[in-house]
Amino acid sequence: MTEWTHLRYAEAAAAEIGRMAATVRGRDGSTSVPTCPGWDLRALTEHTGAVHRWAAAMVRDAAPRRYDREAMDHGFPEDFAEAADWLEAGGVLLTDALKGRDPDTEMWGWAGDRHARFWSRRQLHETVVHRADAEIALGIAPRVDEDVAADGVEEFFAVLSYARWRPLVAELRSDGEAIAWRTDTGLAWLVRLTHTGFTCERSEGPADVTVRAPTAGDLMLTLWNRREPDAVHGDDELLRFWRERAKI
C-alpha cells in the first residue's frame, strides 16, 4: 500500500468530497438518513460542508484554539438543488487550506496530534463516512477504496479515546478481554480492553470475539456503525458492549 502523506490525504479528501457531491446532486433533500437518526439529506450535506469550511478556516489561520462552528456563517443555500455545488466549493476551500500548510504546523486539534496533518487525515475519513451515509439513504451500497479504508480503520482506533463529547467512550475498559477485527483480504487488528482504557495493534492474535468483514471498507463502516458485522464468532455480549460505547 502507498504511504500516506499530508498531501495525499488532502487530495483523497478532495476526491471524496467530489464523490459525495455527485451522490447528492439532483436528489431530494428531505430524504431520511437512517444512519444519522433525525437527519435528512439536507441536514447531512449541510453538516458535512460546514465541517469542511470550519476545518479550512482553522487550518488557514493555524488556529491555536477551536473555532465555534455553530457561530460561523457557512452559506448553505436555501435551495437544495444548489447544495452539491456548495459542497464542492467547500472542498476547494479545504483542499487549498490543507495544501497551503506545512503538515508540521502546530494548531488546535481535538485528538492527540495538534498539527495541520491531523486535519487532512480527519477530513478524509469524516467525508468517507458521510458520503456512505448519503449513499445508504439513497439505496446505494457504499464502497470504500481499500487503501483509504485500511487507514480509516486505524484512524478510528487512534482518535476514539479523544471523543470526550461521547461520555460512554470512557467506559471502554475491562480486565483484558480482546476483540479481533479481521478482513477476508488479510488485514487484522486486535483491540484489548484494560483497566485504563483500550489498546489496538495490527495482529492476528487470539481474541474473546472475532468480527469478520469481506473488505477493509466493510470493516471501517462496521466500526462506524454504518453496517452490521458480516460474521461474529465468540462473545456476543463483549461486542455489544463495545459497539454501544465506541462511537465518535
Side-chain angles (χ1 to χ4, degrees):
M1 293 184 180
T2 310
E3 178 185 0
W4 283 98
T5 64
H6 176 67
L7 177 60
R8 187 182 175 208
Y9 281 126
E11 291 176 341
E16 282 294 334
I17 294 168
R19 291 174 73 176
M20 183 170 178
T23 299
V24 303
R25 192 180 303 279
R27 302 290 189 165
D28 181 353
S30 67
T31 302
S32 177
V33 181
T35 48
C36 298
W39 282 9
D40 57 15
L41 205 57
R42 179 184 180 88
L44 174 69
T45 305
E46 182 174 10
H47 166 81
T48 308
V51 169
H52 294 155
R53 285 165 166 77
W54 170 70
M58 290 190 296
V59 172
R60 180 197 65 217
D61 299 343
R65 59 174 179 80
R66 182 189 185 278
Y67 287 179
D68 184 351
R69 190 173 77 237
E70 300 301 323
M72 298 170 70
D73 180 6
H74 303 291
F76 189 68
E78 287 293 327
D79 186 352
F80 190 72
E82 302 171 12
D85 289 342
W86 175 84
L87 192 63
E88 287 180 327
V92 173
L93 293 174
L94 176 63
T95 304
D96 286 351
L98 291 170
K99 289 183 175 181
R101 274 289 167 204
D102 186 295
D104 294 328
T105 301
E106 293 186 3
M107 61 171 293
W108 180 82
W110 59 262
D113 188 355
R114 295 178 178 263
H115 298 87
R117 60 177 174 260
F118 166 78
W119 288 102
S120 55
R121 189 185 197 193
R122 179 82 288 277
Q123 289 308 293
L124 167 59
H125 298 306
E126 171 89 5
T127 308
V128 168
V129 172
H130 288 321
R131 187 259 297 171
D133 287 328
E135 290 175 337
I136 291 167
L138 295 166
I140 302 167
R143 296 287 183 269
V144 185
D145 295 343
E146 280 295 279
D147 268 10
V148 170
D151 188 76
V153 170
E154 300 218 332
E155 197 250 7
F156 177 85
F157 290 128
V159 303
L160 176 60
S161 61
Y162 295 95
R164 296 183 179 92
W165 59 92
R166 294 281 195 178
L168 291 180
V169 169
E171 297 181 10
L172 290 172
R173 59 186 69 215
S174 193
D175 298 321
E177 290 92 337
I179 307 171
W181 304 88
R182 299 181 182 179
T183 73
D184 294 342
T185 54
L187 299 176
W189 289 265
L190 187 70
V191 169
R192 190 171 302 279
L193 301 175
T194 73
H195 291 295
T196 58
F198 69 89
T199 63
C200 179
E201 62 178 326
R202 283 281 191 104
S203 172
E204 294 184 354
D208 298 279
V209 60
T210 298
V211 180
R212 298 200 68 94
T215 68
D218 297 322
L219 183 59
M220 179 182 176
L221 295 178
T222 300
L223 284 165
W224 280 93
N225 287 306
R226 265 53 184 189
R227 60 177 286 150
E228 291 299 309
D230 288 84
V232 178
H233 304 284
D235 189 343
D236 290 336
E237 183 61 24
L238 176 60
L239 180 61
R240 183 196 62 76
F241 175 86
W242 170 271
R243 297 192 80 207
E244 287 178 351
R245 291 161 178 79
K247 298 179 180 179
I248 298 175

